[in-house]
Amino acid sequence: MSESLIVPTMAEMLAQGKQPEVLFWVGCAGSFDDRAKKITKAFVQILNRANVSFAVLGTEESCTGDPAKRAGNEFLFQMQAMMNIEVLNAYEAKKIVTACPHCFNTLKNEYPELGGHYEVVHHTEFLKSLLDSGRLTIEGGQFKGKRIAFHDPCYLGRANNVYEAPRDLIQKLDAELVEMKRSKANGLCCGAGGAQMFKDAEPGNKEINVERTEDALETKPHIIAAGCPFCNTMLTDGVKNKEREGDVKVMDIAELIANAQDI
Amino acid sequence: MTYLSNVLFAIVLIIGFGYFYLNIKKIIRNINLGIAVNRTDNAKARWRNMAMIALGQSKMVKRPVAGILHIIVYVGFIIINIELLEIIIDGLFGTHRIFAPIGVIYDVLIGSFEILALLVLVAVSVFWIRRNIVKLKRFFNPDLKGFPKSDANYILYFEMFLMTLFLLMNASDLHLQNIPGGFSHFIKAGSFPVSQFIAPAFNGMSNELVMLLNEGFWWLHIVGILVFMNYLYFSKHLHILLAFPNTYFANLNPQGQFDNLASVTAEVKLMMDPNADPFAAAPVSENATPSKFGASDIQDLNWVQLLNAYTCTECGRCTSSCPANQTGKLLSPRKIMMDTRDRIEEVGRNIDANKGVFIPDNKTLLNDYITPEELWACTSCNACVEECPVNISPLSIIMDMRRYLVMEKSAAPMPINAMMTNIENNGAPWQYSQQDRLNWKNEN
C-alpha cells in the first residue's frame, strides 16, 4: 500500500510553482516512531483519497520545541520555534494540519508571538471538515456496533477545547462511542505530557498510563481511540500491562477512518 | 452612662476594621513582591469570568454536593451582611432595629435571614461531617496537615457560632416583643420562622435576664463577625475576598499556551540575526535579560501567581484530579500553592522585621519548600487548572520553577538532558537524523 502514497514536499511544490491547500506537519513521533508512522500513513492515505492538495516539509521539518518548552528549556524552544518559523514563512504556509496535539498546540498558540501566524488544525478537525464538505465519505463497515472509547489528549481537549471533532468522527463510523468516567475537560492525562515521555516517572505506586488504561477498560471497549501519538503509545503499553492486547486495540482516529474506508 | 455602650461599640468597630485594614495593606504589599505582568486587557471577558466564576460559582458546582452546600453558605454570608448594616447603625446610635419601620419588607428580610441561617447551619454541619467523619480523601492527603487542617474546622465552628448567635438573638428579641403591653424598646418587628421555635426556651426567665441575654447575643454576634473578619488574613478563608480579583486577573489564553519569555526572545533573535555584531554588548532595553531565568523564589514569580497563592482555599480539587498525585507521586498542586503562600508570608515577616527591606535568609521556595522531585512529576496536563473553582494555576508556578532548574542550574533529569541534546543536534527528541524524516514514506 505504501507504494501508492503520494507525499509531495513543500520544496517540490515550490519548484512547480504550486502552493498546497494545507501543510501537513508530521511531527517527530509521526516521522520516527514505528507505531506513530502508521498513523501518519493512514492520514496520508485519506488525504490522497480525498484529493487534498497537501505537502510536508520532509527533511526541512524539525521539532516544534514542545518537549523542550514543557521541560523548562525556553532557550531551546525558541531556537526551534524561530528556525521553524523561518522555514514556514519562507514557504508562505497558511494552513497547517498535524496529527500531534503537542505540535498543534505549540504551532497554534505559542508560535504567533514569535512571528509564526498560521491557521493550525488538528487532523481530527480537518477530517471532520472533509466529511462535512463531502470531499470524503465513509461507511461504518467493520466498526459498525463496535464499542469505541475515546481518550481526550490533554493538549487537544483541555488545552484547546477540541472535544467534538474526534467524537463526531467515531459516530460517523456507526460505532458506539462510549465515554470513560473521566472524559472531556475532566479527562485524565495518559502520562506522557510535559516531557514525561522522555524520562522515567517519579516514584509512586502506579504508572499514570496504567491508571488511564483502567479507565478505558472499564467501558468494556473493543477499541480505545486516541488522537495523539504519545497517548497511543502510553495506552498501548497500558493495554499490554493489563494483558488485554488480544481483545482491545488502541487506534488513532485517522486509522479508524482509513480502515473504515478500506483504503 | 447611656453613651458608654455606643462609644465602646465604636471603639470595637475601629479596632476591628483598623486591624483588618493593616493586614489588607500587608497582603497587597506582599503580592507586589511579584514581578509585573499585565492583566488588564480584555476587560469584558475578565468581568464575565468574575461574574460567572466568583459571583456565579459556576466551577464550584462541578462537584454538586460541595458546590450546592457552598452556594448556601455563600449566599447566606452575603445576605446576612445586610443585617450587619442594621447592627452597626443600632450599635453606633443606640437604636433598636432601626430598619423596622419599613414594615413588611423588613419582616420578609428578617424571615429570609433566619431561613438562610438555618440552611447555613445545616450546610456547615455537612461540611464538618465530610471532613471529620466521612474523611474525604482530599482532606486527608499528607499535604494537608497542621494548621491548614484545623483552620478548616475553625472556620466551620466560627460559622456555626455566628449563625447560632444570630438565631438566639432573634429568639430572645421575639420573646421580649411578645410580652403583653410591650417591654422596654422591644417593638414588634420582623418575622421569625426559625427562632420562634427557640423562643420558648426563655419562658420562665425574668424579662431583665432575657434582655441581658439578648444584649449579650448581640454583642457576641458582632464581635464574632469582627474577629472572623480579622481571622481571614491568617486563614484559607481569605478566598471569600480574593476570589473576585483572582478570577478577574486570571489567565485568559488557552490553557495549553505557555508564555514565551520575552528576554529569551530578544537573545534568540540576536543569535539568529546574521547582521548582528557577535562582539557587541547586549542591548539594554526594557526586555533586557533578567538577572534570572525562571523562578526559584517568590520574587521571581509574577504578582498574579502570588495572588493565586493567597486566594487558594486548600480545597484540594486540584490535587485530587492530578494524575501524578493519583498515582502516588510526591506532586500535589495544592501543596505548590500552600508552599508559595507560606514562603510569601515568611518573606513578608522578614521585611517587617527589617524595616521594609528583605534581608536574604538563605532559604528559597525551591528546595526549602518545593522539591525538584515534585516539579518533575508534572505532566503539564492542566487538570489542576481546570479543576480550580477560582482559576488558580499551580501549573504556571511549576513551569517557572522548571525553567529555573533547567536554564539556571542545568539540573534536569538525565533523560531530559538527552532529549534536549537530541533536539539541539537532530531536531527531534530522539536520536534520529533529520535527513531521515521522510523515510516513513517508503517504508512498509
Side-chain angles (χ1 to χ4, degrees):
Chain A
M1 63 165 188
S2 57
E3 289 89 327
S4 61
L5 287 185
I6 306 161
V7 191
T9 62
M10 289 299 282
E12 290 162 6
M13 280 272 182
L14 185 71
Q16 296 166 21
K18 284 195 272 189
Q19 176 71 260
E21 176 189 342
V22 61
L23 188 157
F24 172 30
W25 185 275
V26 183
C28 302
S31 304
F32 295 121
D33 180 85
D34 283 337
R35 177 68 187 86
K37 281 193 268 190
K38 293 182 182 159
I39 302 169
T40 306
K41 288 186 206 173
F43 184 58
V44 168
Q45 284 164 3
I46 302 168
L47 294 178
N48 285 168
R49 166 65 67 98
N51 288 320
V52 174
S53 148
F54 77 100
V56 298
L57 282 172
T59 56
E60 289 183 281
E61 188 185 291
S62 187
C63 174
T64 57
D66 163 82
K69 189 174 184 86
R70 314 295 138 183
N73 195 336
E74 184 70 8
F75 247 108
L76 181 54
F77 163 71
Q78 291 202 14
M79 287 290 291
Q80 288 297 123
M82 288 197 201
M83 287 192 296
N84 286 326
I85 289 168
E86 275 194 4
V87 174
L88 289 166
N89 287 354
Y91 284 118
E92 295 176 10
K94 300 271 183 309
K95 185 171 181 176
I96 301 176
V97 61
T98 176
C100 174
H102 295 270
C103 297
F104 165 71
N105 176 69
T106 305
L107 292 166
K108 181 183 164 78
N109 295 320
E110 288 159 1
Y111 275 33
E113 214 178 80
L114 302 171
H117 302 273
Y118 321 104
E119 182 194 351
V120 187
V121 293
H122 187 243
H123 72 316
T124 55
E125 296 174 297
F126 192 71
L127 290 172
K128 185 172 164 7
S129 72
L130 291 181
L131 285 166
D132 288 348
S133 60
R135 295 170 72 182
L136 184 72
T137 50
I138 44 170
E139 280 151 37
Q142 66 178 110
F143 298 110
K144 197 171 172 119
K146 287 268 195 304
R147 291 172 67 83
I148 302 181
F150 180 68
H151 161 81
D152 287 285
C154 304
Y155 275 87
L156 184 65
R158 249 193 317 265
N160 288 291
N161 285 312
V162 179
Y163 298 114
E164 295 312 320
R167 286 179 168 76
D168 285 352
L169 291 170
I170 291 173
Q171 276 163 338
K172 289 241 162 60
L173 298 168
D174 290 331
E176 184 189 348
L177 171 67
V178 288
E179 294 288 353
M180 301 184 215
K181 65 178 178 194
R182 294 182 269 206
S183 64
K184 298 191 178 171
N186 298 321
L188 187 80
C189 176
C190 69
Q196 299 292 340
M197 183 75 186
F198 306 99
K199 65 183 247 308
D200 291 328
E202 273 52 40
N205 49 36
K206 204 186 222 178
E207 296 296 337
I208 294 172
N209 65 327
V210 173
E211 173 87 6
R212 187 48 169 168
T213 306
E214 286 171 1
D215 279 1
L217 292 177
E218 262 177 38
T219 66
K220 304 204 184 333
H222 297 107
I223 294 162
I224 302 169
C228 170
F230 296 101
C231 296
N232 195 310
T233 302
M234 297 309 266
L235 293 168
T236 304
D237 287 351
V239 170
K240 277 185 194 144
N241 180 283
K242 293 277 161 193
E243 298 180 348
R244 292 290 300 279
E245 65 267 37
D247 61 320
V248 179
K249 274 196 213 162
V250 180
M251 291 178 84
D252 191 89
I253 301 278
E255 295 177 302
L256 291 173
I257 305 283
N259 283 355
Q261 265 274 43
D262 201 20
I263 300 175
Chain B
M1 180 64 202
T2 39
Y3 293 110
L4 191 62
S5 70
N6 303 6
V7 172
L8 188 65
F9 182 81
I11 291 170
V12 167
L13 216 55
I14 289 166
I15 292 173
F17 279 99
Y19 189 60
F20 182 68
Y21 172 73
L22 289 178
N23 280 333
I24 291 290
K25 258 177 65 175
K26 202 175 279 183
I27 289 175
I28 292 171
R29 184 212 50 202
N30 287 354
I31 287 173
N32 281 325
L33 293 172
I35 54 179
V37 59
N38 182 12
R39 290 285 170 86
T40 51
D41 59 318
N42 208 344
K44 209 169 149 190
R46 296 185 179 283
W47 283 111
R48 192 177 55 228
N49 259 357
M50 190 167 94
M52 294 291 292
I53 298 166
L55 196 67
Q57 311 262 301
S58 56
K59 288 181 90 176
M60 271 309 289
V61 289
K62 282 194 174 172
R63 299 197 185 184
V65 177
I68 290 162
L69 292 172
H70 185 267
I71 286 179
I72 292 173
V73 177
Y74 162 76
V75 172
F77 163 76
I78 292 188
I79 299 203
I80 285 176
N81 273 327
I82 301 172
E83 172 70 9
L84 201 60
L85 188 65
E86 183 175 54
I87 288 180
I88 290 176
I89 296 174
D90 283 351
L92 285 175
F93 302 103
T95 49
H96 181 75
R97 293 193 180 269
I98 181 87
F99 295 147
I102 55 179
V104 181
I105 300 171
Y106 187 78
D107 296 349
V108 171
L109 272 179
I110 296 290
S112 49
F113 295 162
E114 288 223 327
I115 291 165
L116 269 171
L118 179 69
L119 286 173
V120 169
L121 269 175
V122 172
V124 167
S125 305
V126 179
F127 278 146
W128 187 87
I129 291 166
R130 279 158 59 91
R131 267 183 199 270
N132 299 287
I133 296 177
V134 181
K135 298 193 185 226
L136 288 192
K137 188 177 171 291
R138 65 190 157 105
F139 301 132
F140 281 82
N141 277 359
D143 58 315
L144 193 70
K145 53 181 186 287
F147 173 73
K149 196 162 196 159
S150 13
D151 179 24
N153 278 328
Y154 296 155
I155 293 162
L156 297 178
Y157 297 141
F158 247 119
E159 278 164 0
M160 290 180 195
F161 179 76
L162 292 177
M163 291 304 113
T164 308
L165 282 170
F166 176 74
L167 291 174
L168 285 174
M169 184 179 86
N170 277 351
S172 53
D173 203 292
L174 176 66
H175 176 89
L176 295 168
Q177 286 183 24
N178 284 340
I179 289 167
F183 176 77
S184 184
H185 54 274
F186 290 91
I187 46 161
K188 272 201 176 289
S191 67
F192 303 92
V194 178
S195 61
Q196 58 175 309
F197 299 104
I198 308 171
F202 298 103
N203 290 346
M205 294 184 195
S206 74
N207 293 345
E208 284 70 23
L209 176 62
V210 178
M211 190 167 92
L212 208 64
L213 282 174
N214 177 265
E215 271 173 25
F217 296 142
W218 186 92
W219 273 98
L220 277 175
H221 183 235
I222 181 67
V223 172
I225 287 171
L226 290 174
V227 171
F228 195 30
M229 184 174 85
N230 280 292
Y231 180 68
L232 296 187
Y233 172 71
F234 304 94
S235 156
K236 74 187 192 99
H237 214 49
L238 198 50
H239 77 277
I240 64 169
L241 300 175
L242 296 188
F244 294 89
N246 197 72
T247 46
Y248 184 88
F249 294 117
N251 178 31
L252 294 176
N253 294 331
Q255 287 178 4
Q257 179 181 348
F258 294 6
D259 61 334
N260 295 319
L261 284 185
S263 54
V264 173
T265 312
E267 294 259 321
V268 171
K269 278 195 172 143
L270 200 65
M271 283 165 72
M272 293 187 57
D273 180 0
N275 302 318
D277 175 1
F279 301 107
V284 180
S285 73
E286 268 178 67
N287 294 334
T289 311
S291 52
K292 207 189 231 176
F293 292 114
S296 65
D297 212 344
I298 57 124
Q299 292 93 336
D300 312 321
L301 296 170
N302 67 49
W303 66 269
V304 175
Q305 291 167 317
L306 303 189
L307 171 64
N308 278 183
Y310 272 117
T311 309
C312 174
T313 187
E314 301 163 14
C315 68
R317 291 185 181 201
C318 52
T319 293
S320 77
S321 68
C322 171
N325 191 276
Q326 282 179 35
T327 51
K329 279 115 193 151
L330 215 49
L331 174 63
S332 160
R334 168 170 62 186
K335 180 177 171 291
I336 300 285
M337 301 319 299
M338 291 168 69
D339 285 343
T340 305
R341 177 169 176 177
D342 287 349
R343 177 61 184 160
I344 304 171
E345 294 277 283
E346 187 176 55
V347 170
R349 283 193 299 274
N350 180 313
I351 292 173
D352 289 336
N354 296 302
K355 302 189 180 75
V357 278
F358 176 67
I359 307 281
D361 55 0
N362 291 322
K363 285 169 91 175
T364 51
L365 178 61
L366 180 68
N367 296 324
D368 292 303
Y369 288 85
I370 299 170
T371 60
E373 182 181 333
E374 292 165 60
L375 299 172
W376 288 114
C378 174
T379 68
S380 76
C381 75
N382 267 304
C384 55
V385 183
E386 179 70 35
E387 274 289 332
C388 181
V390 288
N391 280 16
I392 289 169
S393 173
L395 177 56
S396 74
I397 296 179
I398 294 171
M399 286 313 304
D400 281 348
M401 294 183 87
R402 276 193 185 177
R403 282 173 172 169
Y404 176 81
L405 283 172
V406 171
M407 289 199 282
E408 291 281 339
K409 294 284 157 190
S410 300
M414 280 306 289
I416 293 284
N417 280 330
M419 175 271 286
M420 294 189 300
T421 308
N422 286 331
I423 293 180
E424 251 181 278
N425 296 337
N426 315 321
W430 295 288
Q431 210 173 13
Y432 294 107
S433 165
Q434 190 162 356
Q435 291 313 308
D436 295 337
R437 272 213 176 238
L438 203 48
N439 289 4
W440 56 268
K441 182 174 133 181
N442 303 314
E443 288 168 5
N444 274 313

